[in-house]
Structure formats: C-alpha cells, structure tokens
Coordinates of all heavy atoms in Angstrom, one line a residue:
P15 N 166.6 -174.8 161.7 CA 167.0 -173.8 160.7 C 168.1 -172.9 161.2 O 168.4 -172.8 162.4 CB 165.7 -173.0 160.5 CG 165.0 -173.0 161.9 CD 165.3 -174.4 162.4
L16 N 168.8 -172.3 160.3 CA 169.9 -171.4 160.6 C 169.4 -170.1 161.3 O 168.2 -169.7 161.0 CB 170.7 -171.0 159.3 CG 171.4 -172.2 158.7 CD1 172.0 -171.7 157.3 CD2 172.5 -172.7 159.6
P17 N 170.1 -169.5 162.2 CA 171.4 -169.9 162.6 C 171.4 -171.1 163.5 O 170.5 -171.3 164.3 CB 171.9 -168.7 163.4 CG 170.7 -168.0 163.9 CD 169.6 -168.2 162.8
S18 N 172.4 -172.0 163.4 CA 172.4 -173.2 164.1 C 172.4 -173.0 165.6 O 172.0 -173.9 166.4 CB 173.5 -174.1 163.7 OG 174.8 -173.4 163.9
S19 N 172.9 -171.8 166.0 CA 173.1 -171.6 167.5 C 171.7 -171.5 168.2 O 171.7 -171.6 169.4 CB 173.9 -170.3 167.7 OG 173.2 -169.2 167.0
T20 N 170.7 -171.2 167.4 CA 169.4 -171.0 168.1 C 168.4 -172.1 167.6 O 167.2 -172.1 167.9 CB 168.7 -169.7 167.7 OG1 168.6 -169.6 166.3 CG2 169.6 -168.5 168.3
A21 N 168.9 -173.1 166.9 CA 168.0 -174.2 166.4 C 167.3 -175.0 167.5 O 166.2 -175.4 167.4 CB 168.8 -175.2 165.5
D22 N 168.1 -175.2 168.6 CA 167.4 -175.9 169.7 C 166.4 -175.0 170.4 O 165.3 -175.5 170.8 CB 168.5 -176.3 170.8 CG 169.4 -175.2 171.2 OD1 169.3 -174.1 170.7 OD2 170.2 -175.4 172.2
D23 N 166.6 -173.7 170.5 CA 165.6 -172.8 171.1 C 164.3 -172.8 170.3 O 163.2 -172.8 170.9 CB 166.2 -171.4 171.2 CG 167.4 -171.3 172.1 OD1 167.4 -172.1 173.1 OD2 168.3 -170.5 171.8
V24 N 164.4 -172.7 169.0 CA 163.2 -172.6 168.2 C 162.5 -173.9 168.1 O 161.2 -174.0 168.0 CB 163.5 -172.1 166.7 CG1 164.0 -170.6 166.8 CG2 164.4 -173.0 166.0
A25 N 163.2 -175.0 168.2 CA 162.5 -176.4 168.3 C 161.7 -176.5 169.6 O 160.6 -177.0 169.6 CB 163.6 -177.5 168.1
K26 N 162.3 -176.1 170.7 CA 161.6 -176.1 172.0 C 160.4 -175.2 171.9 O 159.3 -175.5 172.4 CB 162.5 -175.7 173.1 CG 161.8 -175.8 174.5 CD 162.5 -175.2 175.6 CE 161.8 -175.4 176.9 NZ 160.4 -174.8 176.9
A27 N 160.5 -174.0 171.3 CA 159.4 -173.1 171.2 C 158.3 -173.8 170.4 O 157.1 -173.6 170.7 CB 159.8 -171.8 170.5
S28 N 158.6 -174.5 169.4 CA 157.6 -175.2 168.6 C 156.9 -176.3 169.4 O 155.7 -176.5 169.3 CB 158.2 -175.9 167.3 OG 158.6 -174.8 166.4
A29 N 157.7 -177.0 170.2 CA 157.1 -178.0 171.1 C 156.2 -177.3 172.2 O 155.1 -177.9 172.5 CB 158.2 -178.8 171.8
D30 N 156.6 -176.2 172.7 CA 155.8 -175.4 173.6 C 154.5 -175.0 172.9 O 153.4 -175.0 173.5 CB 156.5 -174.2 174.1 CG 157.6 -174.5 175.1 OD1 157.6 -175.7 175.6 OD2 158.5 -173.7 175.3
A31 N 154.5 -174.6 171.7 CA 153.3 -174.2 170.9 C 152.4 -175.4 170.7 O 151.2 -175.3 170.8 CB 153.7 -173.6 169.6
A32 N 153.0 -176.6 170.5 CA 152.2 -177.8 170.4 C 151.5 -178.1 171.7 O 150.3 -178.4 171.7 CB 153.1 -179.0 170.0
R33 N 152.2 -177.9 172.8 CA 151.5 -178.1 174.1 C 150.4 -177.2 174.3 O 149.3 -177.5 174.8 CB 152.6 -178.0 175.2 CG 153.2 -179.3 175.6 CD 154.1 -179.1 176.8 NE 155.4 -178.4 176.4 CZ 156.4 -179.0 175.8 NH1 156.3 -180.3 175.5 NH2 157.5 -178.3 175.5
A34 N 150.7 -175.9 173.9 CA 149.6 -174.9 174.1 C 148.4 -175.2 173.3 O 147.3 -174.8 173.7 CB 150.2 -173.5 173.7
A35 N 148.6 -175.9 172.2 CA 147.4 -176.3 171.4 C 146.8 -177.6 171.9 O 145.9 -178.2 171.2 CB 147.9 -176.5 169.9
G36 N 147.2 -178.1 173.0 CA 146.6 -179.3 173.6 C 147.2 -180.6 173.2 O 146.6 -181.7 173.4
I37 N 148.4 -180.6 172.6 CA 149.1 -181.8 172.1 C 150.0 -182.3 173.2 O 150.9 -181.6 173.7 CB 149.8 -181.5 170.8 CG1 148.9 -181.0 169.7 CG2 150.6 -182.7 170.3 CD1 149.6 -180.5 168.5
E38 N 150.0 -183.6 173.5 CA 150.9 -184.3 174.4 C 152.1 -184.6 173.6 O 152.1 -185.2 172.5 CB 150.2 -185.5 174.9 CG 151.0 -186.2 176.1 CD 150.2 -187.3 176.8 OE1 149.1 -187.7 176.2 OE2 150.6 -187.7 177.9
V39 N 153.3 -184.3 174.1 CA 154.6 -184.4 173.4 C 155.5 -185.4 174.1 O 155.9 -185.2 175.2 CB 155.3 -183.1 173.2 CG1 156.6 -183.3 172.4 CG2 154.4 -182.1 172.5
F40 N 155.8 -186.6 173.4 CA 156.7 -187.6 173.9 C 158.0 -187.5 173.0 O 157.9 -187.1 171.8 CB 156.1 -189.0 173.7 CG 154.9 -189.3 174.4 CD1 153.6 -188.9 173.9 CD2 154.9 -189.9 175.7 CE1 152.4 -189.2 174.6 CE2 153.7 -190.2 176.4 CZ 152.5 -189.8 175.8
V41 N 159.1 -187.7 173.7 CA 160.4 -187.7 172.9 C 161.2 -189.0 173.3 O 161.3 -189.4 174.4 CB 161.3 -186.5 173.3 CG1 162.6 -186.5 172.5 CG2 160.5 -185.2 172.9
V42 N 161.7 -189.6 172.2 CA 162.7 -190.7 172.4 C 164.0 -190.3 171.9 O 164.2 -190.0 170.7 CB 162.2 -192.0 171.6 CG1 163.2 -193.1 171.9 CG2 160.8 -192.4 172.0
G43 N 165.0 -190.2 172.8 CA 166.4 -189.9 172.4 C 167.2 -191.2 172.2 O 167.2 -192.0 173.1
V44 N 167.8 -191.3 171.1 CA 168.6 -192.5 170.7 C 170.1 -192.2 170.7 O 170.5 -191.3 170.0 CB 168.1 -193.0 169.3 CG1 168.8 -194.3 169.0 CG2 166.6 -193.2 169.2
G45 N 170.8 -193.0 171.4 CA 172.3 -193.0 171.4 C 172.9 -192.0 172.4 O 172.2 -191.4 173.2
A46 N 174.2 -191.9 172.3 CA 174.9 -191.1 173.3 C 175.1 -189.7 172.9 O 175.6 -188.9 173.7 CB 176.3 -191.8 173.5
D47 N 174.8 -189.3 171.7 CA 175.0 -187.9 171.3 C 173.9 -186.9 171.6 O 174.0 -185.7 171.4 CB 175.3 -187.9 169.8 CG 176.6 -188.6 169.4 OD1 177.5 -188.6 170.2 OD2 176.7 -189.1 168.2
V48 N 172.7 -187.5 172.1 CA 171.6 -186.5 172.3 C 171.9 -185.8 173.7 O 172.6 -186.3 174.5 CB 170.3 -187.3 172.4 CG1 170.0 -187.9 171.1 CG2 170.3 -188.4 173.5
N49 N 171.3 -184.7 173.8 CA 171.3 -183.9 175.0 C 170.0 -184.2 175.7 O 168.9 -183.6 175.5 CB 171.4 -182.4 174.7 CG 171.4 -181.5 175.9 OD1 171.0 -181.9 177.0 ND2 171.9 -180.3 175.8
A50 N 170.0 -185.2 176.6 CA 168.8 -185.7 177.3 C 168.1 -184.6 178.1 O 166.9 -184.5 178.1 CB 169.2 -186.8 178.2
A51 N 168.9 -183.7 178.8 CA 168.3 -182.6 179.5 C 167.5 -181.7 178.7 O 166.4 -181.3 179.0 CB 169.4 -181.9 180.3
Y52 N 168.1 -181.4 177.5 CA 167.3 -180.5 176.5 C 166.1 -181.2 176.0 O 165.0 -180.6 176.0 CB 168.3 -180.2 175.4 CG 167.5 -179.6 174.2 CD1 166.9 -178.4 174.2 CD2 167.4 -180.4 173.0 CE1 166.2 -177.9 173.1 CE2 166.6 -179.9 171.9 CZ 166.1 -178.6 172.0 OH 165.4 -178.2 170.9
L53 N 166.2 -182.5 175.6 CA 165.1 -183.2 175.0 C 163.9 -183.4 176.0 O 162.8 -183.4 175.7 CB 165.5 -184.5 174.5 CG 166.4 -184.5 173.2 CD1 166.8 -185.9 172.7 CD2 165.6 -183.7 172.1
Q54 N 164.3 -183.4 177.3 CA 163.2 -183.5 178.3 C 162.4 -182.2 178.4 O 161.3 -182.2 178.8 CB 163.8 -183.8 179.7 CG 164.3 -185.2 179.8 CD 164.9 -185.5 181.2 OE1 164.5 -184.9 182.2 NE2 165.8 -186.4 181.2
T55 N 163.0 -181.1 178.0 CA 162.3 -179.8 177.9 C 161.4 -179.7 176.6 O 160.5 -179.0 176.6 CB 163.2 -178.6 177.9 OG1 164.0 -178.5 176.7 CG2 164.2 -178.7 179.1

C-alpha cells in the first residue's frame, strides 16, 4: 500500500506478525528483479 516507499517495510512487518502467530513462512523469488536479500527477511 501507499506510500510505496514503505511498502516493503509493512510487508515484512506482516510476515513477522505471521511468524509471531506460529506460521512458517517460505518465499520463492522469481526472476532478476527481486531483492533476494529483502525477501530472505
């Protein structure tokens, strides 16, 4: 969601919340445009 500058931060916060709820989170990054270091977080 907007602002786009914080969209990655809020997505990671949602993943952290999922983990806190006991959910195991896997990510598959496809192609050369993904930020692999970010997606690993």
Side-chain angles (χ1 to χ4, degrees):
L16 293 172
S18 58
S19 59
T20 59
D22 53 350
D23 296 326
V24 296
K26 183 189 181 305
S28 288
D30 289 341
R33 267 185 288 281
I37 299 169
E38 192 171 12
V39 181
F40 299 85
V41 179
V42 181
V44 184
D47 292 335
V48 298
N49 181 338
Y52 164 71
L53 289 178
Q54 287 180 32
T55 70

